[in-house]
Amino acid sequence: MIKVGIIGATGYAGQEIVRILQGHKNAEIVWYGSRSYIDKRYSAVFGNLFQIVDAQCLDDNMEVLAEAADVIFTATPQGLCGSLVNEEILEKVKIIDLSADFRIKDVSVYEEWYGIRHKSPQFLEEAVYGLCEINREQVRGARLVANPGCYTTCSILSFYPLVKEGLITPDSIIIDAKSGTSGAGRGAKVNNLFCEVNENMKAYGVLTHRHTPEIEEQLGYAAGTDVKVIFTPHLVPMNRGILVTGYGALTRPVTYEAVREIYDRYYGEERFIRLLDPDMCPETRWVEGSNYVDINFKIDERTGRIIVMGALDNIVKGAAGQAVQNMNLMFGLPETEGLEMVPMFP
Amino acid sequence: MIKVGIIGATGYAGQEIVRILQGHKNAEIVWYGSRSYIDKRYSAVFGNLFQIVDAQCLDDNMEVLAEAADVIFTATPQGLCGSLVNEEILEKVKIIDLSADFRIKDVSVYEEWYGIRHKSPQFLEEAVYGLCEINREQVRGARLVANPGCYTTCSILSFYPLVKEGLITPDSIIIDAKSGTSGAGRGAKVNNLFCEVNENMKAYGVLTHRHTPEIEEQLGYAAGTDVKVIFTPHLVPMNRGILVTGYGALTRPVTYEAVREIYDRYYGEERFIRLLDPDMCPETRWVEGSNYVDINFKIDERTGRIIVMGALDNIVKGAAGQAVQNMNLMFGLPETEGLEMVPMFP
Amino acid sequence: MIKVGIIGATGYAGQEIVRILQGHKNAEIVWYGSRSYIDKRYSAVFGNLFQIVDAQCLDDNMEVLAEAADVIFTATPQGLCGSLVNEEILEKVKIIDLSADFRIKDVSVYEEWYGIRHKSPQFLEEAVYGLCEINREQVRGARLVANPGCYTTCSILSFYPLVKEGLITPDSIIIDAKSGTSGAGRGAKVNNLFCEVNENMKAYGVLTHRHTPEIEEQLGYAAGTDVKVIFTPHLVPMNRGILVTGYGALTRPVTYEAVREIYDRYYGEERFIRLLDPDMCPETRWVEGSNYVDINFKIDERTGRIIVMGALDNIVKGAAGQAVQNMNLMFGLPETEGLEMVPMFP
Amino acid sequence: MIKVGIIGATGYAGQEIVRILQGHKNAEIVWYGSRSYIDKRYSAVFGNLFQIVDAQCLDDNMEVLAEAADVIFTATPQGLCGSLVNEEILEKVKIIDLSADFRIKDVSVYEEWYGIRHKSPQFLEEAVYGLCEINREQVRGARLVANPGCYTTCSILSFYPLVKEGLITPDSIIIDAKSGTSGAGRGAKVNNLFCEVNENMKAYGVLTHRHTPEIEEQLGYAAGTDVKVIFTPHLVPMNRGILVTGYGALTRPVTYEAVREIYDRYYGEERFIRLLDPDMCPETRWVEGSNYVDINFKIDERTGRIIVMGALDNIVKGAAGQAVQNMNLMFGLPETEGLEMVPMFP
């Protein structure tokens, strides 16, 4: 039985790890870390877990936790994991960091976009970018996994085969993304109040959103060259879900079937990627509560562009589900263990 | 492996049976009946089940189905099950009817409130009212189970111990109930369009809702006398969930602790009923996607009344989940098999 | 031109006063008070008023404001108005207080339910309870008006004729109320975040909500005797609207027509009360954005009770609209000036 | 007093014309046409207008209506207006058609995208495309106005100055648009049920949406050359509002200030276009219920592209409000009459 500690267990992603692990055969949670709710019963914060989880919230002491756990999930704001981790800890415990601290290899890029100093740049090289479908082998051997961002997971998986195969010009990528509000976290902010979000649609962080360099770096590896994307996130009045509508200029005329064949080659065997039938558009409702990413595309012969669409649940495949998927890989378990939730509709 | 047939598989309750049975170890679906979508792929109707369910929708032929299945769920409008069932069928297959056809013992009451003639009154006596927590033993031996209504399940379970113990005067019960919109079904009606439901709150069917006689009959059995309730349903702009706020006049002064002891006696061992801690109010978000009913109450000494509150997911414990729970009982399986879904939040 | 000052201009009620007064012929706003946003442009807080309101937010200085304005609206938390008002100010300016400070005549009741000391009990007797349809004449001559609560307005107006005419037993009243989330204010609280409210229904403040004594006091005046009500508020995932479903025991058998005649007598000439046709239930969508209260009722002969239903927009008739209606009365203007907004649907 | 007839008065756009005209000094509605609700009271269909509109629904008889009215709004499905209009009618009455029948000059393009035969191509040349801010003068003299589509209004107004000034390459335009659900109309369709739309985000009509050729034609006039756009509409779980996020490649390096100056030149005097301050993004909540279009843009030096954002209320500026604005122009009234509604928030 893998002993799991969670730092940041009372955020939306932390709670989702808890929910998912209730159905996991090989893991048990030994530490519910939450600075804001120390000594409070976990199920008093999340009533859905009443009579399911019988534990108190604990402090965020990574030193102590490293002794008690086999793996630590840090579902915390940027900077925290980087400030706590050290070699001694990493020798005792594996870490899956859901923040951005170890996602970007170039520390200056991280510091520029996030506006904070990185406290542990020495682990950047070691850290593995935990996008399982792409970096599966590296994840298996990792001590420290940087769990990808929600927008990023959806954007990269949607575009990866096209970029890797050189089918689109790297500087032509535009990603218009829409996210449910749980992506904004559980902090008490006026902007995220019900009456501010409900009955509204807006773009935010236009040209400045922090997932931009993460997408560019990973797609850059695929392209083998620098990639510059325009990434525009939007806030949608719904709880869960990310929808990416992406645009790119084709490098040559292609048919739907030819492109489909490429996607099949990359993702045909992937348990959590569903390539939809022609003319079906991904919808967030069809993936809600599950670890699936639904992907499809359309080719516009009139303009020589391709429209790529992806949908996932931002808290599952975009955060907690992928984190558990990474844990499964790191501990040699079946990759799908605990993750076969059927999407819930309506 | 129990072979399951579903008639009405493309309604919300039918689909939820499908979703739940994906996680059931002892059951497999052999028939997805849906008159409206015959020969259409099931996953083309419900995209959440893409690559999970690989079957076509079939006609509603109960004769043929009785040969193919061990149990039939009828998740259809009132009148259909009553018009199809006969002795020959019941000798071959068990039936769990999610409509109201076999819920009310008095055929004249049924015909008055539903405004249709009952086609199979001869099975009314045999049919067992499938409220598992109350009629568990009878369900085990049943061939034909009348699966309770969603409002009814929540109302009866909330009030049952009080009525059974004579703690409230039977004619004082007022049930003010609030339901998510999936309870209105998947039929294409203007009243259920997004823009008609969203940003609105209304009562409907005031004094005339069909779940009234069902509640009165069942609470009457508990009281050992006639019970007349005022039942006021409301439509809430959310997908799932029923919240019941009930009021009753106490027959004698009681403490919270004394009443709690009674509830504990009735429900303390029930896996799917959660009696909340004092001062916690049931909320639909904490049961969403699960088979739980959350119950609590408050005593108003100023007016000598008790306020009883219950919350459940109308499609799960209020329909499909309870139907599967009944199936488990009828086939001698563990009652919780396939039903241990953790509520999903947010 | 009446000069208007608003203290608490950046809450939802304060902003609605601003919105309404844009269409008022005889009033202009001279002071946008908001401690949290001092010196910030008002339209930077509420983008709907961009290029409509060109003013900065100011401090809450009632002394200075009393010189500048003819009337002050205090749309602030409990206790503030009571702590600022004094005789000198009241000699210079009329005050319409949207908080609870002057709603309850008995200072001990106020202090018990609100848990704070009243700073100006000397004005309690003078203050007029500004429920225009009932206290119209007293409002006309008032210096200080206590603008009623949102739940209270809906509850009292719905029940008033019945109580006044002795048609229901005073201790039988149960008010099951449902409110949109703007009623919870614009403060940054986890409980009011989008993901906490959306897809949820809950009761709160059961038996302890502060509008209870306000309802009891006002209905007590109508009944000529003490009234004890059970009042259960619920939070609904929508922005605006209050729906009251009320229950009471009839003192004698009556017909729908007889009761309707009574309502007609009380409200037939009221511009902002709409008595619906038989069998129509009030719905919040039909009053959204307007100053209307929609009322109807049904009689349950089976149990000898009446069900009274009322709907209003909590920010308009339940707060800002009623406040402007009070202002119109206090300044001798047509009562409907600025308030003839047609409800907006969808 | 202008006598107004509405054909299709019980759709969302038709009802909004009714709501707006309640506040219009120079117009009165004499005909509420609605095939589906003939002889039914209008306020029984739209309860918001109870005691405000006292009229029955009538048939869609344009011959008779032409005698009774000075102007006819046709808020009906494509094809109806084209099938009813003739020279005799146009000699008696002005027509503002909210359908697409007269928006596209090239009848073959219309017939291809809409899949129906045009019944009155002889009026296509005469019809004026009623985008007031661009075609103001032509509208004044028109007998027949083609009221623009909702997506179209938002898209064209957002891009017009850029295209007209040659600042972006015509074939580089990508329009990613998001619409509230009222844009889908009031027809009873499963896809528009609350539970299907709520908690979901999807693209639809990808590369095939009918507003595409309308946008291309109008932007083509501005560019003086053929324009091909990619237009991707999305359905958002909210009632009202359209948000356009548009992308285009700049033809030369420009500063924010330079582009802003251009927008100011085109729209600085426009009452219903609000150019936001730098770094403010348009949000649909700030225009809800009003005739405003909020516009802003950002320049991406990294990729040489411009992001243009526009927001409007699809039923007001995107349909009924613009129709009334056209009526005002056609009858020589102040253009803003009846249209100065302040956006309602929350």
Side-chain angles (χ1 to χ4, degrees):
Chain A
M1 211 65 167
I2 302 166
K3 291 191 167 54
V4 173
I6 305 172
I7 297 186
T10 54
Y12 291 133
Q15 186 263 153
E16 192 74 352
I17 295 174
V18 175
R19 180 178 82 94
I20 290 172
L21 291 184
Q22 301 310 308
H24 195 291
K25 288 199 203 74
N26 312 102
E28 63 174 331
I29 303 170
V30 298
W31 187 288
Y32 296 79
S34 172
R35 272 191 201 167
S36 322
Y37 295 97
I38 295 175
D39 292 337
K40 188 154 187 179
R41 286 179 52 220
Y42 190 73
S43 67
V45 182
F46 293 109
N48 54 329
L49 294 161
F50 186 73
Q51 292 185 358
I52 297 173
V53 169
D54 182 25
Q56 314 285 116
C57 294
L58 300 172
D59 200 354
D60 293 347
N61 192 324
M62 202 185 264
E63 305 279 348
V64 176
L65 179 44
E67 302 289 343
D70 302 310
V71 62
I72 298 173
F73 294 96
T74 47
T76 48
Q78 326 305 336
L80 189 76
C81 185
S83 74
L84 295 178
V85 74
N86 59 44
E87 181 59 32
E88 202 180 349
I89 287 170
L90 279 175
E91 280 169 9
K92 293 180 193 154
V93 66
K94 293 177 194 290
I95 292 182
I96 300 169
D97 178 25
L98 281 78
S99 85
D101 286 2
F102 298 98
R103 291 179 192 157
I104 294 172
K105 291 293 172 203
D106 185 335
V107 69
S108 66
V109 172
Y110 172 89
E111 295 186 342
E112 179 194 337
W113 287 79
Y114 285 88
I116 48 178
R117 268 210 68 208
H118 203 297
K119 300 285 180 41
S120 310
Q122 70 273 26
F123 296 115
L124 280 173
E125 202 188 320
E126 172 182 355
V128 173
Y129 190 75
L131 193 48
C132 314
E133 284 75 10
I134 292 177
N135 296 331
R136 183 168 284 126
E137 288 317 310
Q138 300 93 302
V139 170
R140 286 195 218 273
R143 296 193 302 176
L144 173 58
V145 162
N147 208 58
C150 51
Y151 281 125
T152 326
T153 299
C154 199
S155 301
I156 297 174
L157 290 177
S158 298
F159 270 102
Y160 183 77
L162 297 177
V163 172
K164 185 82 177 169
E165 297 291 317
L167 262 175
I168 52 177
T169 52
D171 64 349
S172 73
I173 297 175
I174 291 171
I175 297 172
D176 193 285
K178 298 90 180 170
S179 173
T181 305
S182 58
R186 209 177 182 229
K189 294 180 188 161
V190 169
N191 268 345
N192 297 332
L193 292 176
F194 182 83
C195 291
E196 307 290 318
V197 172
N198 189 39
E199 296 299 292
N200 189 36
M201 184 85 199
K202 67 171 177 184
Y204 65 98
V206 180
L207 297 180
T208 64
H209 194 280
R210 293 158 168 193
H211 285 179
T212 310
E214 192 181 330
I215 297 170
E216 292 183 342
E217 178 177 333
Q218 297 299 325
L219 289 183
Y221 296 144
T225 176
D226 266 13
V227 169
K228 290 274 168 270
V229 309
I230 288 190
F231 170 66
T232 318
H234 297 76
L235 189 67
V236 185
M238 60 184 188
N239 286 346
R240 289 170 178 247
I242 282 182
L243 182 72
V244 156
T245 316
Y247 305 87
L250 291 163
T251 50
R252 58 177 191 271
V254 283
T255 62
Y256 180 88
E257 291 68 29
V259 178
R260 175 61 194 239
E261 203 177 341
I262 290 170
Y263 274 94
D264 278 333
R265 183 144 38 88
Y266 280 79
Y267 295 146
E269 303 301 309
E270 288 297 340
R271 175 66 172 79
F272 296 123
I273 297 181
R274 302 192 293 195
L275 300 170
L276 302 186
D277 292 343
D279 286 322
M280 288 173 63
C281 290
E283 307 189 24
T284 64
R285 62 176 165 162
W286 301 135
V287 295
E288 202 179 336
S290 82
N291 204 45
Y292 289 110
V293 191
D294 284 1
I295 295 177
N296 211 346
F297 59 91
K298 294 202 87 167
I299 293 166
D300 187 27
E301 291 173 14
R302 301 196 319 154
T303 65
R305 292 208 193 82
I306 188 167
I307 304 181
V308 187
M309 293 168 284
L312 53 71
D313 183 321
N314 58 304
I315 326 187
V316 188
K317 183 62 180 172
Q322 184 144 265
V324 171
Q325 194 178 350
N326 276 312
M327 181 190 81
N328 289 342
L329 288 171
M330 293 160 90
F331 286 86
L333 300 170
E335 189 171 336
T336 62
E337 175 54 37
L339 293 170
E340 311 203 72
M341 303 88 73
V342 177
M344 188 169 90
F345 170 81
Chain B
M1 214 63 168
I2 302 165
K3 291 192 166 56
V4 172
I6 304 171
I7 298 186
T10 53
Y12 291 133
Q15 186 262 154
E16 191 74 352
I17 296 174
V18 175
R19 180 179 81 95
I20 290 172
L21 291 184
Q22 302 310 308
H24 196 292
K25 289 199 202 75
N26 311 103
E28 64 173 331
I29 304 170
V30 298
W31 186 288
Y32 296 80
S34 173
R35 272 192 201 167
S36 323
Y37 295 96
I38 295 174
D39 292 338
K40 187 154 187 179
R41 285 179 53 220
Y42 190 74
S43 68
V45 183
F46 293 108
N48 54 328
L49 294 160
F50 186 74
Q51 292 185 357
I52 298 174
V53 169
D54 182 26
Q56 314 284 118
C57 294
L58 301 172
D59 199 354
D60 294 345
N61 191 324
M62 202 186 264
E63 305 278 349
V64 176
L65 177 45
E67 303 288 344
D70 301 309
V71 60
I72 298 173
F73 294 95
T74 48
T76 46
Q78 327 304 336
L80 188 76
C81 183
S83 75
L84 294 178
V85 74
N86 59 44
E87 181 58 32
E88 203 180 349
I89 287 171
L90 278 176
E91 280 169 9
K92 293 182 194 152
V93 67
K94 293 176 192 292
I95 293 182
I96 299 170
D97 178 25
L98 281 79
S99 86
D101 285 2
F102 298 98
R103 292 180 193 159
I104 294 172
K105 291 292 173 204
D106 185 335
V107 69
S108 67
V109 171
Y110 172 89
E111 294 186 342
E112 181 195 336
W113 286 79
Y114 285 87
I116 47 178
R117 269 210 67 208
H118 202 298
K119 300 286 181 42
S120 310
Q122 70 274 22
F123 297 115
L124 279 174
E125 203 188 318
E126 170 182 357
V128 173
Y129 190 75
L131 193 48
C132 314
E133 285 75 11
I134 292 177
N135 297 330
R136 183 168 283 127
E137 289 316 310
Q138 300 93 300
V139 169
R140 286 195 217 274
R143 297 194 303 178
L144 173 58
V145 161
N147 208 60
C150 51
Y151 282 125
T152 326
T153 298
C154 198
S155 301
I156 296 174
L157 289 177
S158 297
F159 271 102
Y160 183 75
L162 298 177
V163 171
K164 185 83 177 170
E165 296 290 317
L167 262 176
I168 52 176
T169 53
D171 63 349
S172 73
I173 298 175
I174 292 170
I175 296 170
D176 194 284
K178 298 91 179 167
S179 174
T181 305
S182 58
R186 207 174 184 234
K189 293 179 188 164
V190 168
N191 268 346
N192 297 332
L193 291 177
F194 182 82
C195 291
E196 308 289 317
V197 172
N198 189 39
E199 296 298 292
N200 189 34
M201 183 84 199
K202 67 171 177 182
Y204 66 98
V206 180
L207 297 181
T208 63
H209 194 277
R210 293 158 168 193
H211 284 180
T212 311
E214 191 180 331
I215 298 170
E216 293 183 341
E217 178 176 333
Q218 297 298 325
L219 288 184
Y221 296 146
T225 177
D226 266 15
V227 168
K228 290 273 168 271
V229 310
I230 289 190
F231 170 67
T232 318
H234 297 77
L235 190 66
V236 185
M238 60 185 187
N239 285 348
R240 288 169 178 248
I242 281 182
L243 182 72
V244 156
T245 316
Y247 305 87
L250 291 163
T251 51
R252 57 177 193 271
V254 284
T255 62
Y256 179 87
E257 291 68 28
V259 178
R260 174 60 194 241
E261 204 178 338
I262 289 169
Y263 273 94
D264 278 332
R265 183 144 38 89
Y266 280 79
Y267 295 147
E269 303 300 309
E270 288 296 342
R271 175 67 172 77
F272 295 124
I273 298 183
R274 302 192 293 193
L275 300 170
L276 302 186
D277 292 342
D279 287 322
M280 287 173 62
C281 290
E283 307 189 24
T284 62
R285 61 176 165 163
W286 301 135
V287 296
E288 201 178 336
S290 82
N291 204 45
Y292 288 111
V293 191
D294 283 2
I295 295 177
N296 211 346
F297 58 90
K298 294 202 88 168
I299 292 167
D300 187 26
E301 291 173 14
R302 302 195 320 155
T303 64
R305 292 208 192 82
I306 190 166
I307 304 182
V308 188
M309 293 167 284
L312 53 69
D313 183 322
N314 59 303
I315 326 187
V316 187
K317 183 62 179 170
Q322 184 146 261
V324 171
Q325 196 178 348
N326 277 313
M327 181 190 80
N328 288 342
L329 288 171
M330 293 162 89
F331 286 85
L333 300 169
E335 189 171 335
T336 60
E337 176 54 37
L339 293 170
E340 310 203 73
M341 301 88 76
V342 177
M344 188 170 92
F345 170 81
Chain C
M1 213 62 167
I2 302 166
K3 290 191 166 57
V4 173
I6 304 172
I7 297 185
T10 52
Y12 291 134
Q15 186 262 152
E16 191 74 351
I17 295 175
V18 175
R19 180 178 81 95
I20 290 172
L21 291 184
Q22 301 310 309
H24 196 292
K25 289 199 201 75
N26 312 103
E28 63 174 331
I29 303 171
V30 298
W31 188 286
Y32 296 80
S34 173
R35 271 192 201 166
S36 323
Y37 295 97
I38 295 175
D39 292 338
K40 189 154 185 178
R41 285 179 54 219
Y42 190 74
S43 67
V45 183
F46 293 108
N48 53 328
L49 294 160
F50 186 73
Q51 293 186 356
I52 298 175
V53 169
D54 182 26
Q56 313 284 117
C57 295
L58 300 172
D59 200 353
D60 293 346
N61 192 324
M62 203 186 264
E63 305 279 349
V64 175
L65 177 45
E67 303 288 345
D70 301 308
V71 60
I72 298 173
F73 294 95
T74 48
T76 48
Q78 327 304 334
L80 187 77
C81 183
S83 75
L84 294 178
V85 74
N86 59 43
E87 180 59 31
E88 203 180 349
I89 287 171
L90 279 176
E91 280 170 9
K92 293 181 193 154
V93 67
K94 292 175 193 292
I95 293 183
I96 298 169
D97 178 24
L98 281 77
S99 86
D101 285 2
F102 298 99
R103 291 179 193 159
I104 294 172
K105 292 292 172 201
D106 185 334
V107 69
S108 67
V109 171
Y110 172 89
E111 294 186 343
E112 182 195 334
W113 285 79
Y114 285 88
I116 48 177
R117 269 210 67 209
H118 203 297
K119 299 287 181 40
S120 310
Q122 70 273 24
F123 297 116
L124 280 173
E125 204 189 316
E126 171 181 356
V128 172
Y129 190 76
L131 193 47
C132 314
E133 284 75 11
I134 292 177
N135 297 330
R136 184 167 283 125
E137 289 316 311
Q138 299 93 302
V139 170
R140 286 196 216 273
R143 296 193 303 177
L144 173 57
V145 161
N147 208 59
C150 51
Y151 281 125
T152 326
T153 298
C154 198
S155 300
I156 297 173
L157 289 177
S158 297
F159 270 102
Y160 184 74
L162 297 177
V163 172
K164 185 84 177 170
E165 297 291 316
L167 262 176
I168 52 176
T169 53
D171 64 349
S172 73
I173 298 175
I174 291 169
I175 296 171
D176 194 284
K178 298 91 180 167
S179 174
T181 304
S182 58
R186 208 173 183 234
K189 294 179 188 162
V190 169
N191 269 345
N192 297 332
L193 291 176
F194 182 82
C195 290
E196 307 290 317
V197 172
N198 189 38
E199 295 300 292
N200 188 36
M201 183 85 200
K202 68 170 177 183
Y204 66 98
V206 180
L207 297 180
T208 64
H209 194 277
R210 295 159 166 192
H211 285 180
T212 310
E214 191 180 331
I215 298 170
E216 292 183 341
E217 178 177 332
Q218 297 299 325
L219 288 184
Y221 297 145
T225 177
D226 266 15
V227 168
K228 290 275 168 270
V229 311
I230 289 189
F231 170 67
T232 318
H234 297 76
L235 190 66
V236 185
M238 60 184 188
N239 285 346
R240 291 170 178 244
I242 281 182
L243 182 72
V244 156
T245 317
Y247 305 88
L250 291 163
T251 51
R252 59 177 192 270
V254 284
T255 61
Y256 180 87
E257 291 69 28
V259 178
R260 175 61 195 240
E261 202 177 340
I262 289 170
Y263 273 95
D264 278 333
R265 184 145 36 89
Y266 279 79
Y267 296 147
E269 303 300 309
E270 288 297 342
R271 175 66 172 77
F272 295 123
I273 298 182
R274 300 193 294 193
L275 301 170
L276 302 186
D277 292 342
D279 287 321
M280 288 172 63
C281 289
E283 307 189 23
T284 64
R285 62 176 164 162
W286 301 136
V287 295
E288 202 178 336
S290 81
N291 204 46
Y292 289 110
V293 191
D294 284 1
I295 295 177
N296 211 346
F297 59 90
K298 294 202 87 168
I299 292 166
D300 187 25
E301 290 173 14
R302 301 195 320 155
T303 64
R305 292 208 193 83
I306 189 166
I307 304 181
V308 188
M309 293 167 284
L312 54 70
D313 183 322
N314 59 304
I315 325 188
V316 187
K317 183 62 181 172
Q322 184 146 262
V324 171
Q325 196 178 350
N326 277 312
M327 181 190 80
N328 289 341
L329 288 170
M330 293 161 89
F331 286 85
L333 300 169
E335 189 171 336
T336 59
E337 175 54 37
L339 293 170
E340 310 202 72
M341 302 88 75
V342 177
M344 188 169 91
F345 171 81
Chain D
M1 213 65 167
I2 302 166
K3 290 192 168 54
V4 172
I6 304 171
I7 296 185
T10 53
Y12 291 134
Q15 186 264 153
E16 192 73 352
I17 295 174
V18 175
R19 180 178 83 94
I20 290 172
L21 291 185
Q22 302 310 307
H24 195 291
K25 289 200 201 76
N26 312 102
E28 63 175 331
I29 304 171
V30 298
W31 186 287
Y32 295 81
S34 173
R35 271 191 201 169
S36 322
Y37 295 97
I38 294 174
D39 292 336
K40 188 154 186 178
R41 284 179 53 219
Y42 190 73
S43 68
V45 182
F46 293 108
N48 53 329
L49 294 161
F50 187 72
Q51 293 185 356
I52 297 173
V53 169
D54 183 25
Q56 314 285 116
C57 294
L58 301 172
D59 200 354
D60 294 345
N61 191 324
M62 201 185 263
E63 305 278 349
V64 176
L65 177 45
E67 303 288 344
D70 301 309
V71 60
I72 298 173
F73 293 96
T74 48
T76 48
Q78 327 305 337
L80 188 76
C81 183
S83 74
L84 294 178
V85 73
N86 59 44
E87 181 59 32
E88 202 180 350
I89 287 171
L90 278 176
E91 281 169 9
K92 292 181 194 155
V93 67
K94 291 176 193 292
I95 292 183
I96 299 169
D97 178 25
L98 281 78
S99 85
D101 286 2
F102 297 99
R103 291 180 192 157
I104 295 172
K105 292 292 174 205
D106 184 335
V107 69
S108 67
V109 172
Y110 172 89
E111 295 186 343
E112 180 194 336
W113 286 79
Y114 286 88
I116 48 178
R117 268 210 67 209
H118 202 297
K119 300 287 181 42
S120 309
Q122 69 274 26
F123 297 114
L124 280 174
E125 202 188 320
E126 170 181 357
V128 172
Y129 189 74
L131 193 48
C132 314
E133 285 75 10
I134 292 178
N135 296 331
R136 183 167 283 127
E137 289 316 310
Q138 301 92 304
V139 170
R140 286 195 218 273
R143 297 194 302 178
L144 173 59
V145 162
N147 208 59
C150 50
Y151 281 125
T152 327
T153 299
C154 198
S155 301
I156 296 174
L157 289 177
S158 297
F159 271 102
Y160 183 76
L162 298 177
V163 172
K164 185 83 178 169
E165 297 290 316
L167 262 176
I168 52 177
T169 52
D171 64 349
S172 73
I173 297 176
I174 291 171
I175 296 171
D176 193 285
K178 298 90 179 170
S179 173
T181 305
S182 58
R186 208 174 183 231
K189 294 179 188 162
V190 168
N191 268 346
N192 297 332
L193 291 176
F194 181 83
C195 291
E196 307 290 317
V197 172
N198 190 39
E199 296 299 291
N200 188 36
M201 184 85 200
K202 67 171 177 183
Y204 66 98
V206 181
L207 296 180
T208 64
H209 194 279
R210 294 159 167 191
H211 285 179
T212 310
E214 192 181 330
I215 298 170
E216 293 184 340
E217 177 176 333
Q218 297 298 324
L219 288 183
Y221 296 145
T225 175
D226 265 14
V227 169
K228 289 274 168 270
V229 309
I230 288 190
F231 170 67
T232 318
H234 296 77
L235 189 67
V236 186
M238 60 184 188
N239 286 346
R240 289 170 178 246
I242 281 182
L243 182 72
V244 156
T245 315
Y247 305 87
L250 290 162
T251 50
R252 59 176 190 270
V254 283
T255 62
Y256 181 87
E257 291 68 28
V259 177
R260 174 62 194 239
E261 202 178 342
I262 289 170
Y263 274 94
D264 278 332
R265 183 144 38 88
Y266 280 79
Y267 296 146
E269 303 300 310
E270 287 296 341
R271 175 66 172 80
F272 294 123
I273 298 182
R274 301 192 295 194
L275 300 171
L276 301 186
D277 292 342
D279 286 323
M280 288 173 62
C281 290
E283 307 189 22
T284 63
R285 61 175 166 164
W286 301 136
V287 296
E288 201 178 336
S290 82
N291 203 46
Y292 288 110
V293 190
D294 283 2
I295 294 177
N296 212 346
F297 59 89
K298 293 201 88 168
I299 293 167
D300 187 27
E301 290 173 14
R302 300 194 322 154
T303 64
R305 292 208 192 82
I306 189 166
I307 304 182
V308 187
M309 294 168 283
L312 53 71
D313 183 323
N314 59 303
I315 326 187
V316 188
K317 183 61 180 172
Q322 184 145 264
V324 171
Q325 195 178 348
N326 277 313
M327 181 190 80
N328 289 340
L329 289 171
M330 292 161 90
F331 286 86
L333 299 170
E335 188 171 335
T336 61
E337 175 53 37
L339 293 170
E340 310 203 73
M341 303 88 73
V342 176
M344 188 168 89
F345 170 80

